[in-house]
Amino acid sequence: MTDTTTEAPKFKATVLRDFTDAGTETNYAKDQEVQLTAGELLNLSLAGLVEKVADAQPDEGKTKGKATNA
């Protein structure tokens, strides 16, 4: 029999202040980077306790070709 359980994707977030999650009794420290599920991230973000770490953005200053002025 195969295991069909899959783990929810995790998102990186930064803790904005020290707190203890009342539901899980997990302690979080200010400036700590944590991995959260989408639901955890949403709930804790709306409460103002964490902030999602920005995804890496491509460097817009670099281009493959040169711009020409016609």
Side-chain angles (χ1 to χ4, degrees):
M1 182 176 233
T2 59
D3 184 10
T4 59
T5 59
T6 58
E7 242 183 81
K10 300 281 186 167
F11 298 91
K12 191 182 291 186
T14 301
V15 178
L16 300 177
R17 66 182 185 94
D18 294 345
F19 71 97
T20 300
D21 185 302
T24 64
E25 297 184 6
T26 302
N27 293 317
Y28 295 93
K30 182 178 180 182
D31 297 327
Q32 176 184 14
E33 282 200 357
V34 294
Q35 296 287 321
L36 302 170
T37 64
E40 292 168 331
L41 179 62
L42 177 62
N43 291 338
L44 297 176
S45 293
L46 290 174
L49 299 171
V50 300
E51 184 175 74
K52 184 176 186 253
V53 173
D55 295 328
Q57 297 295 323
D59 187 356
E60 293 180 17
K62 295 181 181 177
T63 58
K64 289 184 179 179
K66 292 183 179 180
T68 57
N69 292 333

